[in-house]
Amino acid sequence: MRRVLIIGIGAGNPDYLTIQAIDALNKVDVFFIPDKGAEKAALRDLRTGVCARFIKEKVYRFVEMAVPQRAENFSDYKANVAEWHADIEVNYARLLREELGEDECAGFLVWGDPSIYDSTLRIIENIHAKAEFAFEYDVIPGISAIQALAARHRVPLNRIGESILITTGRKLAGGYLEDADSVVVMLDGEQAFKKLAGDFQIYWGAYLGTDSEVLVSGRLSEVADEIAAIRAEHRQRNGWIMDSYLIRKIEK
Ligand SMILES: C[S@@+](CC[C@H](N)C(=O)[O-])C[C@H]1O[C@@H](n2cnc3c(N)ncnc32)[C@H](O)[C@@H]1O
């Protein structure tokens, strides 16, 4: 029976790999490695690097997979993403059918944790449900950018007895949710924090866990411009950026 392991590799630092993830790496015959955009080389190096470092005796191979681009002009965001995922699904299904032997194990190395803002689980679940060919699959959790952010700033995500909302820059740009306590923001290409009105504390981090890691924290009104400038500079220098932040109202 074909087997698929969806392995969370942590968000940037190879030391974030869990022992369960390392055991899983050592079972994989073929790793499907995404080939995508400007961040391609750095992220691919991290993926191939963890294999070189943690796989001891197993013989394995890499197969590059083209990642279709999401259409840029759309009116319905969810429909746009669904269409994009359908394209990726076709690719994944073909790879599993054509590149994976009947008794082999495939590995998808998912950045951070596979359950957080990542489509791999949904796509593999869809392929599995269509049952065009048989395979079983498992998920190995990883250290997400959220945990890395909190650890590097040495802060708890929640205040006592309060909740944590995990959301995107796109949602935050629609307005800070009045009854939200602590908010973790990911996928914020627009820097939605710049438009927030009110007194907030922000903990921002980019390239967490990597040699390029940058951290800034402070009162939003005092550090927002600094974050925007650092972000622009690093994005320009590296050609890509991944940043996240925790934000909450300052208690009176
Ligand atoms: C597609 S989501 C993937 C999240 C991932 N599954 C996780 O658990 O961290 C990509 C977003 O995660 C955040 N992110 C991932 N890695 C990061 C890192 N090393 N430093 C800062 N943010 C990161 C950024 O907000 C980025 O836009």
Side-chain angles (χ1 to χ4, degrees):
M1 166 85 92
R2 289 181 172 100
R3 197 160 176 228
V4 174
L5 293 174
I6 300 163
I7 306 168
I9 58 166
N13 186 337
D15 287 355
Y16 289 158
L17 259 89
T18 65
I19 291 167
Q20 192 185 25
I22 294 171
D23 285 347
L25 291 181
N26 281 277
K27 295 192 174 98
V28 171
D29 298 291
V30 51
F31 291 97
F32 295 121
I33 302 287
D35 162 11
K36 64 175 181 187
E39 77 238 52
K40 182 173 90 173
L43 302 194
R44 192 187 45 220
D45 288 354
L46 194 120
R47 288 183 166 94
T48 53
V50 297
C51 292
R53 177 168 161 195
F54 294 114
I55 299 177
K56 291 301 171 207
E57 278 162 21
K58 176 96 183 147
V59 176
Y60 59 92
R61 59 192 189 275
F62 293 116
V63 170
E64 283 222 347
M65 53 184 186
V67 179
Q69 294 297 305
R70 186 150 69 86
E72 283 178 6
N73 296 318
F74 57 87
S75 51
D76 180 338
Y77 177 75
K78 284 198 173 172
N80 170 255
V81 173
E83 213 169 282
W84 178 46
H85 285 178
D87 290 344
I88 301 177
E89 187 184 315
V90 170
N91 278 5
Y92 281 18
R94 186 185 54 73
L95 287 169
L96 292 174
R97 227 178 8 243
E98 295 177 4
E99 300 285 349
L100 188 65
E102 273 301 330
D103 291 313
E104 283 194 319
C105 178
F108 288 89
L109 302 179
V110 175
W111 194 258
D113 182 83
S115 69
I116 300 173
Y117 291 121
D118 188 274
S119 51
T120 312
L121 286 186
R122 261 183 291 272
I123 292 168
I124 296 294
E125 189 190 356
N126 279 348
I127 298 172
H128 192 254
K130 287 183 181 156
E132 284 166 17
F133 52 93
F135 67 94
E136 53 187 33
Y137 69 101
D138 281 303
V139 181
I140 317 294
I143 306 247
S144 80
I146 301 173
Q147 293 150 295
L149 178 74
R152 296 298 293 131
H153 280 287
R154 303 182 299 181
V155 283
L157 291 172
N158 64 293
R159 285 191 291 221
I160 296 170
E162 292 189 358
S163 57
I164 308 159
L165 173 73
I166 300 170
T167 191
T168 63
R170 207 178 131 264
K171 294 286 257 185
L172 190 72
Y176 188 81
L177 297 124
E178 268 313 309
D179 53 356
D181 298 324
S182 298
V183 181
V184 175
V185 186
M186 305 175 91
L187 294 160
D188 186 7
E190 309 299 314
Q191 298 158 74
F193 61 84
K194 288 198 294 193
K195 297 186 191 112
L196 293 178
D199 198 12
F200 296 95
Q201 176 79 15
I202 185 168
Y203 301 90
W204 177 84
Y207 311 102
L208 291 158
T210 72
D211 292 342
S212 314
E213 181 179 273
V214 211
L215 302 171
V216 177
S217 63
R219 207 173 204 122
L220 183 62
S221 56
E222 290 164 10
V223 297
D225 290 346
E226 181 190 348
I227 294 173
I230 293 176
R231 197 182 184 282
E233 183 201 323
H234 284 257
R235 189 169 191 279
Q236 164 84 14
R237 193 190 305 156
N238 296 326
W240 63 282
I241 190 161
M242 275 211 255
D243 61 330
S244 306
Y245 50 93
L246 166 66
I247 195 158
R248 53 188 163 224
K249 284 186 179 144
I250 293 174
E251 285 178 322
K252 303 274 178 253

